Amino acid sequence: MANKGNKKRRQFSLEEKMKVVEAVDSGKRKGDVAKEFGITPSTLSTFLKDRAKFEEKVREASVGPQRKRMRNALYDDIDKAVFAWFQEIHAKNILVTGSVIRKKALNLANMLGYDNFQASVGWLNRFRDRHGIALKSECREDNDRLISGLGIDKVNEWHAGEIIKLTADYSPDDIFNADETGVFFQLLPQHTLDAKGDHCRGGKKAKQRLTALFCCNASGTEKMRPLIVGRSANPRCLKNMPSLPCDYRANQWAWMTPDLFNEWLVQVDARMKQAGRRILLLIDNCSAHNMLPRLERIQVGYLPSNYTAVLQPLNLGIIHTVKELYRSHLLKQILLKLHSSEDQEKMDIRQAIDMVAVAWWSVKRSTVVRCWQKAGIIPMELTDSDTEAAASEPDTAIEKLWHSVAVAACVPNEVNFQDFVTVDDDLIISQELMDAEDIQGAGPGEDSDEAGSEDEGEALPQQSKITITEAIASVQKLRQFLSTCVGVPDAIFGQLSGIDEYLMRRVTQTLDSEITDFLQTK
């Protein structure tokens, strides 16, 4: 009789286990799934019981899809730091060999205080297996061509091949681009020259900056709610303000991180699932975008490394327009303060995110479409009127506004409005694990409430709470003021009526609640 104990036990990779679970989720009978994959019912039950572990590993991208065991590394923090560094290097299309990884691992181990760690060949093999890394030999000629500069042949090749495959199953309404930009939100025009070229890796300047994530579709019909990343987790100016025109998050350096980006992605994916939609999201290869979660309704497409300057729609004028509009609003506030002889106060985070949101929603559809067209991603034509409207944004009135502020604030003659707009275009917007300073900055305290939980510096004056009666009275004053002006668009009065209606509903709800409470006490 054959000895059943000698039967070789089959091991399944994480990818195979997830396929089994997905087959059950699709509605197939468990017995049929077991037969299809050649497993016993008990093994199938084990896969289903452990599905949460599989999904977590996939979301964290902490193991490769071909991995058959999920045991963590002995030095788990070293493993994570090396993998984050590898992702950053790989995204830049830089050739990485095993010896380079071992050397980097030793350097990171020393920084993290591990004297006994040895980056042996065995450790390297286990590291590769854990993360599904294949160190294939790359053509040095191709790699040099990628990092040597922008090549028109490479751009044309991508337009003719990869992008056609990515967009084939999607309409312009369902093709999106997301990108981040840094903003010195407190910067005044007279300080433009001092801030020019400052990458803001940290320190005092981190208190004066934000990172903003924008996302819009190719048809210009949908712009998603902005995500703003600041340094303070609980700014004083945002207390008792549950409704903001954007999503606000924080970390020590006001940078985008993989955790924050993935949280945003999961929320977008949930909205698309609820709406019954599937979308294509085009993003670049920055370090915050390299370890994505498992998504059901979003297909992610990466733009070619080193070519986002000519292929990313948000980089081709959309973000620039947002900054023009933001800084034009800032100039208007400065001019009002100068005319009223009031002291110039620093912009706080609440004012900044309000103005960023207003600027974002004010970007015209024609501007969005023009930038997608310029990227060559969708073949969409603009009419002459649309092109003319896009080219005139923002209008020439801003130049007059700039001149008035520049004269009053003694802005140096060599600084113009576009210098003021582009001053923070080169700000670092994501964490790069490339040196000791960055490794230390990636410690466990980075995203804690203690790291910038309050605005630093002088205490801000306590603002009195505005009552709903005062808010209604303010709307009435605005209506009276506009009635004395000439040529006010009907849409403005319509917006005031909408605000008035909303406030009156709040009053009614408050009264109903008070009456209910009164009756319950009787």
Side-chain angles (χ1 to χ4, degrees), residues 10 25 42 45 60 79 93 116 121 123 157 167 191 244 246 250 296 314 329 335 349 407 454 508:
R10 180 183 173 187
D25 289 344
S42 61
S45 299
E60 295 176 351
D79 191 270
N93 290 288
N116 297 326
V121 174
W123 171 86
E157 179 184 340
T167 60
H191 300 147
L244 295 173
C246 66
E296 295 183 39
L314 280 161
H329 290 313
L335 198 59
I349 292 177
V407 172
E454 296 288 346
T508 303

Side-chain angles (χ1 to χ4, degrees), residues 194-229:
D194 295 334
K196 192 72 174 176
D198 191 336
H199 294 276
C200 190
R201 288 183 175 271
K204 294 181 178 179
K205 283 289 182 66
K207 293 186 294 181
Q208 304 168 17
R209 63 157 294 165
L210 300 170
T211 295
L213 169 69
F214 300 112
C215 183
C216 62
N217 67 354
S219 64
T221 58
E222 188 172 351
K223 289 183 287 187
M224 293 189 185
R225 184 181 174 92
L227 171 62
I228 307 295
V229 183

Side-chain angles (χ1 to χ4, degrees), residues 211-276:
T211 295
L213 169 69
F214 300 112
C215 183
C216 62
N217 67 354
S219 64
T221 58
E222 188 172 351
K223 289 183 287 187
M224 293 189 185
R225 184 181 174 92
L227 171 62
I228 307 295
V229 183
R231 184 176 182 271
S232 299
N234 300 299
R236 292 187 184 96
C237 58
L238 295 185
K239 285 186 176 179
N240 302 318
M241 290 190 178
S243 297
L244 295 173
C246 66
D247 295 323
Y248 179 80
R249 299 292 183 269
N251 63 61
Q252 188 175 6
W253 305 117
W255 284 344
M256 182 61 68
T257 65
D259 287 342
L260 293 180
F261 185 71
N262 288 351
E263 178 190 355
W264 176 82
L265 267 181
V266 169
Q267 291 173 353
V268 174
D269 191 62
R271 291 202 302 271
M272 295 303 155
K273 184 176 182 179
Q274 186 177 14

Side-chain angles (χ1 to χ4, degrees), residues 73-144:
L74 179 61
Y75 297 95
D76 195 42
D77 45 356
I78 297 177
D79 191 270
K80 290 178 179 177
V82 175
F83 185 58
W85 166 83
F86 176 82
Q87 292 279 82
E88 179 74 18
I89 291 295
H90 184 68
K92 295 179 179 179
N93 290 288
I94 298 175
L95 183 65
V96 180
T97 63
S99 60
V100 171
I101 294 178
R102 292 170 61 192
K103 183 177 180 180
K104 189 64 179 180
L106 285 174
N107 292 338
L108 295 177
N110 291 333
M111 293 176 189
L112 295 171
Y114 292 103
D115 298 329
N116 297 326
F117 173 78
Q118 293 183 348
S120 63
V121 174
W123 171 86
L124 174 64
N125 291 335
R126 291 190 295 273
F127 173 79
R128 291 169 53 189
D129 291 341
R130 278 192 294 272
H131 299 287
I133 297 173
L135 299 178
K136 299 176 181 179
S137 59
E138 299 183 20
C139 175
R140 172 61 67 177
E141 181 182 352
D142 290 342
N143 191 61
D144 289 342

Side-chain angles (χ1 to χ4, degrees), residues 18-33:
M18 286 305 303
K19 286 182 178 179
V20 172
V21 172
E22 288 171 356
V24 175
D25 289 344
S26 68
K28 294 181 179 180
R29 295 177 54 190
K30 292 182 180 180
D32 294 338
V33 173

Side-chain angles (χ1 to χ4, degrees), residues 11-15 17-18 46-47 50-58 62-64 67-73 76 129-130:
Q11 286 190 322
F12 293 85
S13 68
L14 179 61
E15 184 179 28
K17 292 174 182 177
M18 286 305 303
T46 301
F47 288 175
D50 293 339
R51 67 180 298 164
K53 296 179 182 178
F54 305 156
E55 291 173 351
E56 182 180 2
K57 292 297 182 182
V58 171
S62 56
V63 297
R67 178 92 174 277
K68 296 183 178 180
R69 303 180 68 185
M70 292 188 293
R71 183 182 300 168
N72 290 332
D76 195 42
D129 291 341
R130 278 192 294 272

Side-chain angles (χ1 to χ4, degrees), residues 445-481:
E446 178 183 322
D447 290 327
S448 65
D449 286 343
E450 289 78 7
S453 62
E454 296 288 346
D455 293 328
E456 299 180 16
E458 297 180 3
L460 296 174
Q462 186 68 31
Q463 296 182 350
S464 58
K465 185 177 180 180
I466 299 174
T467 65
I468 195 165
T469 303
E470 291 172 334
I472 293 173
S474 297
V475 175
Q476 292 172 348
K477 285 183 179 180
L478 273 174
R479 186 176 282 109
Q480 291 173 3
F481 169 76

Side-chain angles (χ1 to χ4, degrees), residues 341-442:
S341 300
E342 294 182 19
D343 293 335
Q344 195 68 248
E345 296 178 357
K346 284 186 177 181
M347 177 83 61
D348 63 27
I349 292 177
R350 181 189 61 79
Q351 294 170 314
I353 62 178
D354 283 345
M355 287 168 49
V356 168
V358 169
W360 171 240
W361 298 120
S362 298
V363 177
K364 297 176 182 177
R365 179 185 176 186
S366 56
T367 301
V368 173
V369 174
R370 176 170 54 91
C371 294
W372 278 89
Q373 184 187 40
K374 188 176 180 181
I377 293 176
I378 55 168
M380 185 175 293
E381 297 296 331
L382 285 174
T383 64
D384 293 339
S385 59
D386 285 339
T387 306
E388 187 175 332
S392 63
E393 182 181 350
D395 56 35
T396 54
I398 294 180
E399 293 296 337
K400 295 180 180 179
L401 179 62
W402 167 260
H403 178 73
S404 299
V405 173
V407 172
C410 300
V411 178
N413 292 331
E414 59 268 32
V415 177
N416 58 37
F417 177 62
Q418 287 303 317
D419 293 328
F420 187 44
V421 170
T422 60
V423 64
D424 43 22
D425 282 358
D426 294 329
L427 283 185
I428 292 175
I429 51 89
S430 62
Q431 187 179 55
E432 298 180 3
L433 297 180
M434 298 299 291
D435 51 40
E437 180 183 354
D438 292 332
I439 289 295
Q440 292 168 358

